[in-house]
Amino acid sequence: MMKLAVLAAAAGSAAAFAPVQQGRTSTAVQAFENELGVIAPTGFFDPLGFTDGIDQEKFDQYRTAELKHGRVAQLAVIGYITPEIFRWGFDIAPGIPCADVPNGVAAINAIPALGWAQIIFAIGAVDVRGWLGDFDIGKPDLKGKEEERALQEL
């Protein structure tokens, strides 16, 4: 048994030094390889290919949507955490004060259907009409500093 273990270890270590067949490497340059946020180890990271065959205008639209959705996600987290430490003094629906609405996922069943309809309508109106303002606010002012910002560590 010991001889078999030594033989297997020797065969495994010999295989470690065997030449390895090299795979093909792509020399194709991505269209957005020089965009802000591209970092050295990964380059332009788009594993699902959302940017394949799109122009700069569509790419900028994707970036704006990414910024907007990131802000919405931040607001959602704040909305989830805030009821743990603070309660509003108004009624969320007739006869249902905010103080009586449970926290977290349990709130789903406590809000009536008309309340959910109002919430969904408000979210849709903000998304379609842009009532929260211009999403250019909050974008960094990079006039002449693109190269410097691209080389900064995250």
Side-chain angles (χ1 to χ4, degrees):
M1 188 67 157
M2 184 65 154
K3 291 180 183 179
L4 182 61
V6 171
L7 183 62
S13 63
F17 297 102
V20 177
Q21 182 179 1
Q22 298 292 324
R24 294 181 178 228
T25 58
S26 174
T27 57
V29 177
Q30 293 284 336
F32 306 108
E33 196 65 37
N34 295 324
E35 287 292 327
L36 186 66
V38 175
I39 53 177
T42 58
F44 179 71
F45 188 70
D46 182 20
L48 298 177
F50 288 127
T51 58
D52 290 347
I54 65 169
D55 59 354
Q56 185 67 39
E57 183 179 343
K58 189 69 165 176
F59 180 78
D60 292 341
Q61 183 182 0
Y62 284 171
R63 281 278 171 104
T64 303
E66 181 182 15
L67 179 65
K68 180 167 75 169
H69 294 151
R71 290 176 178 176
V72 168
Q74 291 170 3
L75 288 172
V77 169
I78 295 298
Y80 193 81
I81 294 171
T82 301
E84 296 287 339
I85 57 174
F86 178 78
R87 293 296 181 149
W88 296 101
F90 62 87
D91 288 355
I92 196 160
I96 303 175
C98 288
D100 290 348
V101 176
N103 294 342
V105 179
I108 293 173
N109 294 329
I111 299 173
L114 186 57
W116 283 113
Q118 291 172 342
I119 291 169
I120 292 169
F121 176 76
I123 291 169
V126 167
D127 192 40
V128 171
R129 301 290 296 167
W131 287 340
L132 288 182
D134 184 5
F135 286 100
D136 286 336
I137 296 171
K139 289 184 182 176
D141 181 21
L142 298 175
K143 294 181 181 103
K145 298 186 232 174
E146 290 90 355
E147 185 69 25
E148 176 187 341
R149 287 294 300 263
L151 298 176
Q152 283 180 336
E153 285 190 42
L154 297 176

